[in-house]
Amino acid sequence: MTDRAKLDEDDTGSVANLISAVEIPDEQKSIVRAKQLESVGRLTPMIALANLVNAMVVVMCFWNTPGNRLIGLWCFTFVVATAIMTFGHMRARMRNRAAPAKQISHEATEAAIERYARFASFLGLLWGVLPLLIMPFTDSTSQLAVSVIMAGVMFGGVLLVSRIPEAANSFLIPTTIGYIVGLQLGQDPRNDFLSVLALVYAAVLWTSARWSYRQFVEQHLSSVAVEQQAQLIGLLLRDFEESTSDWLWQTDEAGELIEIPMPALGETTAFDAMAPGQNLVSLFRTSESRNILSKSLERKQGFRDLVLQVEAEKDAWWSLTGKPIFDEAYHFVGFRGVASDITQSKVIEDRIAYMAHYDPLTGLPNRAYLHEHLEKASLRPIKSGHERALLWLDLDNFKWVNDTMGHPAGDELLCQVASRLNDAVAKADVVARLGGDEFAALVEVQDHETLMEVVRHTSDMLNEPYEIWGSIVHCGASIGVRPIEQHNMDIQTLLKHADLALYQAKEAGKRTWCVFSQQLAERAQARRTIEIDLNHAVENSELKLYFQPQISAASGEIVGCETLIRWEHPTRGLLGPNNFIQHAEDSGIITRLGEWALREALATARRLPEHMHIAVNISPLQIHSSSLVTTIINALGANGIDPARLELEITESVLMTDTDFTLSRLNQLKDIGLKISLDDFGTGFSSLSYLRRFPFDRLKIDRSFVEDIDHDEDSRAITKATLNLAKALNMKCTAEGVETESQKQFLTDIGCDELQGYLVSRPQPLEKLAHLIDLKPISSLKAVAPIKVIASSKDDDLPDNVSPIKKVVG
């Protein structure tokens, strides 16, 4: 709160506020004291003259009274004291006149105030003695004259020195006391009333002195605040003058400039275009901002920061602010405002806008620009008979180019793709690069047939080989096409549908295109529903493990079981893995399902005879899961299962990505003591290098070969070759899908180790296999003894991205 505000808050006009002390900031106290002395000092000669005149009047009026000698002595003393006070104060003023008030010390002003108060107190004593010399010895008429003189002295003396409250009080108190005592000595009953009146006069004078002093201080602090504000405003104005390049302009009521604007500071030629007589609107090129300027001038409305392009200068931009001006009669006389040259900032702004909406590599619009354009296009009606569509593109082999030829080659390829795409859809509303190797184009053509022709032409152009720095690169593109209907599709749904069509083109073999259909959306929704239901299935224990026995071909004895997941869906009933496993892999839920299957399979294996193994399928995502080995070790330990009884089945697809890591992980699992089998051998890439690099424990012949061995010579040959390969590599061999006695006999004759299929048993819950397997009762299962965990001897041989695994021993 400012000093002025404090005084305003305190100044309520109450007696309490007048009595309370006046607060003065420390830095202003010496200045206020100096101004008090200066103010009263100018009146000192008048005070002295008034006192002398009053003293001469008293002498002339009461010289003939009995106390004339005392009055003479009083007058002499009065004259001497007045002279001393006057000359002393005049000398002090001359000494301090050379020093400004701000340079006078606080101690010096306090001493001067105290000295002045002592003089005032002495004068007050002299005037207080006068009634004592006259009142007891005179009649009522003379007493009345003394009262008049004393009242005048009290009022005049206090008001003249009211700027120094200490001096005013020092003069008032002895004067009032002496006057009242003199009245009481006058032996006139009416003097009692005069005494009361004297007290009232004293109170009024004291209050007036306080009020005058407060007004004096308030006026000083107000002037200080005004001076500070003026200095601040001056500082701001000087700073503005040193930094601004703005200039003023003014028009008449017709909108024509009436004076040559002058720059605030510095040399500039931008304002030269605003010559007198020019129409303000005509200075600028046609734009929305110019229309706003024209309407504002017409309607006599103010405007602010209008960005306008100058007509006379190339690439020059001004910012204009103005308001209407009126004369004293409120008649409109024109506009006045400020103009500034913002050409440089406009260039920077345009550059930032370009970077925010365009891809720096290809120069095509980016995803943000495409979204904005689609929003505007959704409001624009499609011409009758025309068809509008969004093309969503993705390169099929771009990662290979980056990995083999380097990222600069990848950038060059993207630039060539952008060029071909611009040529292929030359009449497109917008062609954009969305990021990475994704592109999009919004086209509008005459009919559906023309649209299909544009799509085919675009696909053919993008699928042609590219030449990059002397090398031929084959990098086709998959295209998703989403036809756009009028006013019935929001942008997010449109983009999602285009992406579904692109995904379908990828699934169809790449380097092709696919038009969105409602069936794609329904299938996507179905997949999404299954994914959500699968998460709930794990939480709600809707998943069940089924077991399919595996028998020894030689003895017919059941030697193991393969676990298969079934889903008891609350509304769709019992579902086999073909209905949800692929969705689980696509969404990543397969890792949770696999870990659950491992724990459940090993918990159930406690009921199987000790000689039987249990097989569990492992997905590619599970192999790369950081929690796979921990889950297996914990499940083995929790159930006391010999690791040699657990057999993990993998497919050849597991080995297709990050082969080194996968083989290292499989070796870790073998170090624990598990068995690893290669499932569905012969249906994938069947790379023999995998069999050489990793010693599988078992090969499983796929059912597609087994089911045809009764009537197809090729299937028998492949089955026999697979079996011989397994024997040569010291692996066991299991045939899947055995359904007939003739298949069993053939496989037994050629030396197959184990058989699995409907001939033995369909997959069943474990309880329903009790007629084939001697299951242990649940009540007979004992608490599991703790297992030992020791370090694998091959931990040090693992790659850096594979954590060491511990070997489990019973």
Side-chain angles (χ1 to χ4, degrees):
M1 184 179 294
T2 63
D3 303 328
R4 170 65 180 170
K6 288 180 180 179
L7 282 176
D8 289 342
E9 183 178 337
D10 294 339
D11 191 10
T12 61
S14 64
V15 176
N17 287 329
L18 291 175
I19 296 175
S20 62
V22 181
E23 294 184 6
I24 303 174
D26 293 339
E27 66 273 10
Q28 295 293 327
K29 285 183 178 179
S30 61
I31 300 175
V32 171
R33 290 301 194 190
K35 287 195 171 185
Q36 286 179 275
L37 292 170
E38 182 182 1
S39 175
V40 175
R42 288 194 296 266
L43 298 176
T44 298
M46 183 180 297
I47 295 173
L49 179 62
N51 278 284
L52 292 176
V53 170
N54 284 332
M56 295 304 296
V57 169
V58 168
V59 170
M60 288 186 294
C61 291
F62 300 103
W63 183 255
N64 295 324
T65 61
N68 55 359
R69 292 184 178 181
L70 292 175
I71 292 174
L73 179 62
W74 173 86
C75 183
F76 176 77
T77 304
F78 193 92
V79 171
V80 172
T82 301
I84 294 174
M85 179 190 72
T86 302
F87 289 115
H89 190 75
M90 290 180 64
R91 186 175 60 182
R93 282 195 65 194
M94 292 180 63
R95 185 171 58 249
N96 295 330
R97 182 174 297 175
K102 293 182 180 180
Q103 296 181 2
I104 300 175
S105 66
H106 179 68
E107 292 76 8
T109 56
E110 288 292 337
I113 291 289
E114 183 178 356
R115 190 164 53 250
Y116 204 93
R118 287 198 299 269
F119 278 122
S121 176
F122 185 73
L123 290 178
L125 286 173
L126 290 176
W127 282 109
V129 169
L130 179 65
L132 301 179
L133 300 176
I134 299 176
M135 289 290 190
F137 309 109
T138 59
D139 56 14
S140 58
T141 302
S142 298
Q143 293 177 6
L144 180 60
V146 171
S147 296
V148 172
I149 293 172
M150 291 300 297
V153 167
M154 289 171 59
F155 275 91
V158 170
L159 291 180
L160 287 174
V161 297
S162 60
R163 295 294 173 84
I164 304 178
E166 296 89 339
N169 293 334
S170 297
F171 178 80
L172 179 63
I173 292 173
T175 303
T176 304
I177 293 174
Y179 175 48
I180 293 174
V181 172
L183 287 173
Q184 296 302 316
L185 294 176
Q187 303 298 322
D188 190 334
R190 291 173 297 180
N191 288 349
D192 293 338
F193 299 104
L194 293 178
S195 299
V196 174
L197 187 61
L199 289 174
V200 173
Y201 284 169
V204 171
L205 289 173
W206 182 84
T207 303
S208 298
R210 296 290 300 180
W211 178 83
S212 177
Y213 174 65
R214 291 181 69 89
Q215 291 296 313
F216 171 76
V217 173
E218 180 179 353
Q219 182 180 6
H220 168 72
L221 294 181
S222 297
S223 64
V224 170
V226 170
E227 182 181 356
Q228 291 175 346
Q229 291 178 357
Q231 292 175 352
L232 177 60
I233 292 172
L235 180 63
L236 293 175
L237 286 175
R238 284 194 299 272
D239 183 66
F240 176 77
E241 290 177 353
E242 293 173 358
S243 61
T244 187
S245 61
D246 298 353
W247 63 92
L248 300 175
W249 56 267
Q250 185 170 337
T251 70
D252 57 16
E253 60 272 16
E256 294 189 358
L257 295 165
I258 59 175
E259 61 181 11
I260 300 177
M262 298 298 294
L265 189 69
E267 295 184 2
T268 177
T269 58
F271 61 89
D272 291 342
M274 293 182 121
Q278 294 244 13
N279 184 275
L280 181 62
V281 178
S282 66
L283 297 178
F284 307 104
R285 297 186 182 181
T286 303
S287 65
E288 184 178 352
S289 295
R290 174 177 164 168
N291 294 336
I292 295 175
L293 174 63
S294 179
K295 291 180 180 179
S296 298
L297 296 178
E298 181 181 348
R299 298 171 181 173
K300 301 179 180 61
Q301 295 178 341
F303 51 89
R304 186 176 185 83
D305 297 331
L306 284 181
V307 178
L308 299 152
Q309 187 174 13
V310 182
E311 181 72 36
E313 300 183 32
K314 184 179 180 181
D315 298 330
W317 293 83
W318 290 357
S319 175
L320 222 62
T321 297
K323 65 177 182 180
I325 52 178
F326 301 87
D327 59 14
E328 296 180 355
Y330 296 101
H331 293 148
F332 174 71
V333 295
F335 269 80
R336 180 183 297 135
V338 178
S340 58
D341 190 342
I342 59 169
T343 302
Q344 291 184 355
S345 60
K346 187 67 170 60
V347 171
I348 297 174
E349 180 184 340
D350 290 345
R351 179 60 180 169
I352 293 174
Y354 178 85
M355 294 173 63
H357 290 87
Y358 286 85
D359 173 45
L361 177 63
T362 62
L364 295 178
N366 60 12
R367 187 184 295 270
Y369 183 94
L370 176 66
H371 280 226
E372 293 177 6
H373 195 84
L374 288 174
E375 292 284 357
K376 295 177 182 178
S378 65
L379 304 176
R380 188 175 69 246
I382 302 174
K383 295 180 181 179
S384 178
H386 283 215
E387 186 155 352
R388 185 183 295 166
L390 177 65
L391 277 58
W392 208 256
L393 304 91
D394 182 83
L395 302 183
D396 295 326
N397 205 23
F398 182 70
K399 186 177 185 301
W400 178 87
V401 176
N402 267 342
D403 293 343
T404 58
M405 301 182 66
H407 288 280
D411 292 344
E412 173 64 21
L413 175 61
L414 291 174
C415 292
Q416 292 190 27
V417 169
S419 177
R420 288 191 187 184
L421 192 54
N422 273 324
D423 293 340
V425 285
K427 296 183 179 180
D429 286 355
V430 61
V431 176
R433 181 192 175 203
L434 308 177
D437 60 343
E438 289 186 328
F439 294 83
L442 180 65
V443 298
E444 184 172 341
V445 294
Q446 291 81 359
D447 49 38
H448 183 73
E449 292 182 0
T450 307
L451 175 62
M452 294 299 99
E453 180 60 33
V454 169
V455 174
R456 280 191 291 269
H457 177 62
T458 303
S459 179
D460 292 341
M461 287 191 65
L462 296 180
N463 288 332
E464 292 179 2
Y466 297 85
E467 181 180 352
I468 299 179
W469 304 333
S471 299
I472 301 300
V473 175
H474 296 273
C475 185
S478 299
I479 304 175
V481 182
R482 176 54 170 98
I484 302 176
E485 300 84 8
Q486 184 68 41
H487 302 310
N488 66 343
M489 185 64 61
D490 63 44
I491 303 305
Q492 293 303 321
T493 303
L494 175 68
L495 299 179
K496 181 175 69 175
H497 287 178
D499 195 56
L500 287 175
L502 173 61
Y503 182 78
Q504 183 63 28
K506 292 278 190 184
E507 283 192 339
K510 302 182 179 181
R511 298 176 64 88
T512 186
W513 51 276
C514 175
V515 180
F516 172 81
S517 64
Q518 192 59 37
Q519 288 77 10
L520 292 179
E522 292 172 357
R523 284 166 53 188
Q525 182 60 38
R527 285 197 300 268
R528 178 61 180 159
T529 301
I530 290 177
E531 291 171 10
I532 295 173
D533 290 348
L534 270 175
N535 279 294
H536 294 160
V538 177
E539 298 167 1
N540 300 334
S541 302
E542 297 173 5
L543 300 175
K544 307 296 179 184
L545 271 190
Y546 276 43
F547 298 81
Q548 188 171 31
Q550 300 168 334
I551 65 171
S552 171
S555 64
E557 180 186 7
I558 297 178
V559 295
C561 291
E562 180 182 359
T563 59
L564 302 166
I565 295 181
R566 297 293 186 267
W567 181 8
E568 288 187 357
H569 196 280
T571 58
R572 299 172 63 188
L574 188 65
L575 301 178
N578 291 338
N579 294 301
F580 61 88
I581 288 297
Q582 186 60 48
H583 298 305
E585 290 183 349
D586 293 341
S587 62
I589 305 174
I590 190 66
T591 301
R592 293 182 62 194
L593 298 188
E595 291 180 354
W596 172 86
L598 280 167
R599 290 191 295 267
E600 189 70 15
L602 292 175
T604 307
R606 298 178 61 191
R607 301 189 60 194
L608 297 175
E610 298 294 334
H611 70 279
M612 289 181 60
H613 65 262
I614 187 164
V616 181
N617 291 281
I618 301 295
S619 72
L621 284 179
Q622 266 187 284
I623 285 292
H624 289 77
S625 172
S626 60
S627 61
L628 172 64
V629 181
T630 304
T631 300
I632 292 174
I633 291 176
N634 290 337
L636 289 171
N639 296 287
I641 303 297
D642 184 356
R645 294 180 60 192
L646 177 59
E647 188 173 289
L648 301 181
E649 295 187 2
I650 68 169
T651 61
E652 291 177 86
S653 61
V654 173
L655 300 165
M656 294 306 298
T657 57
D658 203 355
T659 306
D660 291 337
F661 176 87
T662 303
L663 292 178
S664 299
R665 176 56 58 85
L666 293 177
N667 278 306
Q668 289 179 304
L669 296 173
K670 285 208 69 173
D671 288 342
I672 296 175
L674 311 184
K675 299 293 189 296
I676 309 295
S677 65
L678 185 58
D679 197 10
D680 300 335
F681 182 75
T683 59
F685 292 90
S686 302
S687 175
L688 298 181
S689 64
Y690 300 143
L691 301 181
R692 180 177 60 83
R693 296 178 62 184
F694 182 79
F696 289 97
D697 297 287
R698 184 186 306 274
L699 290 183
K700 299 191 73 174
I701 303 174
D702 188 67
R703 68 180 65 249
S704 62
F705 301 115
V706 173
E707 67 185 7
D708 294 334
I709 60 177
D710 286 338
H711 55 273
D712 185 71
E713 185 63 32
D714 292 339
S715 295
R716 288 196 295 270
I718 292 174
T719 302
K720 187 180 294 186
T722 303
L723 179 62
N724 292 334
L725 178 63
K727 296 298 182 182
L729 295 175
N730 198 26
M731 300 179 189
K732 291 186 177 182
C733 188
T734 299
E736 296 181 304
V738 180
E739 298 182 358
T740 66
E741 285 293 340
S742 60
Q743 293 170 350
K744 174 185 177 183
Q745 189 61 46
F746 174 79
L747 293 168
T748 302
D749 292 342
I750 64 175
C752 187
D753 296 295
E754 296 176 7
L755 307 176
Q756 177 182 342
Y758 286 178
L759 181 64
V760 180
S761 173
R762 290 176 176 273
Q764 298 284 349
L766 190 60
E767 293 293 343
K768 293 188 178 182
L769 296 175
H771 64 290
L772 297 177
I773 304 173
D774 185 15
L775 300 178
K776 299 176 184 179
I778 297 177
S779 59
S780 67
L781 300 179
K782 299 180 180 180
V784 179
I787 63 171
K788 297 180 181 178
V789 181
I790 63 173
S792 168
S793 60
K794 296 184 178 181
D795 284 350
D796 295 338
D797 299 330
L798 299 179
D800 294 338
N801 59 345
V802 179
S803 58
I805 304 302
K806 305 300 180 180
K807 185 175 181 180
V808 181
V809 182

